[in-house]
């Protein structure tokens, strides 16, 4: 049981390049999330998908787009990478997003992205 | 801005002692509360969830929630060097469909000294 799988694990981009971070979960979870983690800033929510077919902005959505491809997969796209997007990106999933129970989020192993 | 606050530490405790980690949150409507452990260079790992006022125990870990004071804590009994990590408090600030956001504190770094 793999849980949440992210690809790639490491990536170096040049300013202005585009790329897509892939995330897949095999836990039949309804909700999926993208976070970024920067030193001194903690984990910040970029976008989330409460259920298949829906996406919503989080705290720091600028410069990113997302696609909930199906129930398993949730991708994050950087259209024109900037050095400020250098970060560690985590994908997470939970059974559901908005009830009192079963909202525990489980994380992938992360993608270390450097934009030069 | 809905916030989750933690003391950044580092918090140093001797092996075998009780480590006490604290977290406050600003949204009175919050319903779900979580503690994650994150080792350096690794992803966050869920260790406790708590939804109701009071204490919840799981092995050496006890989570405590006081919604009136908007305060959640984590106690680690018989601390081990392997507990040395950053502990993240997370709060579900959503209150209905489509309004979910899991907000994290910046984390408290715990060092257990052998």
């Amino acid at each position: 049981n793999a849980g949440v799988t992210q690809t790639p694990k490491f990536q170096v981009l040049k300013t202005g390049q585009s790329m897509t971070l892939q995330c897949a979960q095999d836990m039949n979870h309804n909700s999926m999330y993208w976070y970024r983690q920067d030193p001194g800033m903690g984990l910040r929510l970029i976008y989330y998908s409460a259920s298949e077919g829906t996406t919503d902005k989080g705290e720091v959505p600028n410069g990113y787009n997302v696609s909930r491809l199906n129930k398993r997969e949730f991708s994050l796209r950087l259209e024109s990478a900037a050095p400020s997007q250098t970060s560690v990106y985590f994908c997470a999933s939970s059974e559901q997003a908005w009830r009192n129970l079963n909202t525990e989020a489980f994380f992938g192993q992360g993608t270390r992205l450097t934009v030069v | 801005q809905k916030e989750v606050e933690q003391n950044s530490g580092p918090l140093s405790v001797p092996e075998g002692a009780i480590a006490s980690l604290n977290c406050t949150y600003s949204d009175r409507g919050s319903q779900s509360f979580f503690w994650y452990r994150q080792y350096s260079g690794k992803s966050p790992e869920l260790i406790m969830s708590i939804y109701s006022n009071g204490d919840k125990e799981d092995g050496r870990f006890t989570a405590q929630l006081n919604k009136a004071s908007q305060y959640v804590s984590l106690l680690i009994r018989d601390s081990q060097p392997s507990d040395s990590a950053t502990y993240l408090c997370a709060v579900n600030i959503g209150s209905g469909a489509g309004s979910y956001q899991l907000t994290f504190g910046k984390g408290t770094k715990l060092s257990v000294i052998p």
Side-chain angles (χ1 to χ4, degrees), chain B residues 1-24:
Chain B
Q1 179 73 21
K2 295 177 179 177
E3 296 180 340
V4 177
E5 300 286 346
Q6 294 181 256
N7 188 327
S8 62
L11 173 65
S12 294
V13 300
E15 183 175 355
I18 296 175
S20 178
L21 304 163
N22 303 314
C23 174
T24 59

Side-chain angles (χ1 to χ4, degrees), chain A residues 4 27 29 33 35 43 90-96 101-108, chain B residues 32-39 42-51 56 58 61 63 72 74 76 85-92 100 102-104:
Chain A
V4 181
M27 296 176 282
H29 284 171
Y33 318 91
Y35 288 88
L43 279 159
F90 288 103
C91 177
S93 71
S94 64
E95 184 171 334
Q96 55 192 3
L101 299 177
N102 300 326
T103 57
E104 294 94 339
F106 297 92
F107 284 78
Chain B
S32 310
F33 307 86
F34 309 95
W35 283 100
Y36 287 82
R37 177 176 62 199
Q38 187 175 27
Y39 294 113
K42 302 296 186 182
S43 60
E45 173 192 11
L46 180 69
I47 53 174
M48 291 287 286
S49 61
I50 187 166
Y51 300 93
K56 179 181 178 182
D58 184 0
F61 299 96
V72 58
L74 180 70
I76 306 174
T86 296
Y87 289 80
L88 305 172
C89 174
V91 178
N92 178 347
Y100 173 89
L102 185 59
T103 300
F104 282 81

Side-chain angles (χ1 to χ4, degrees), chain A residues 60-80:
Chain A
V60 287
N62 291 345
Y64 305 96
N65 286 301
V66 291
S67 296
R68 182 75 182 266
L69 304 171
N70 48 54
K71 191 172 185 179
R72 291 186 64 248
E73 299 173 285
F74 188 39
S75 63
L76 178 72
R77 183 162 177 84
L78 287 70
E79 291 291 352
S80 179

Side-chain angles (χ1 to χ4, degrees), chain A residues 17-52:
Chain A
Q17 286 185 319
S18 62
M19 78 162 295
T20 299
L21 280 64
Q22 306 287 352
C23 176
Q25 52 91 10
D26 62 3
M27 296 176 282
N28 201 35
H29 284 171
N30 291 301
S31 306
M32 298 185 73
Y33 318 91
W34 278 104
Y35 288 88
R36 60 178 289 173
Q37 187 173 36
D38 303 292
M41 299 297 293
L43 279 159
R44 293 181 293 170
L45 184 63
I46 304 170
Y47 270 93
Y48 66 99
S49 172
S51 60
E52 186 178 359

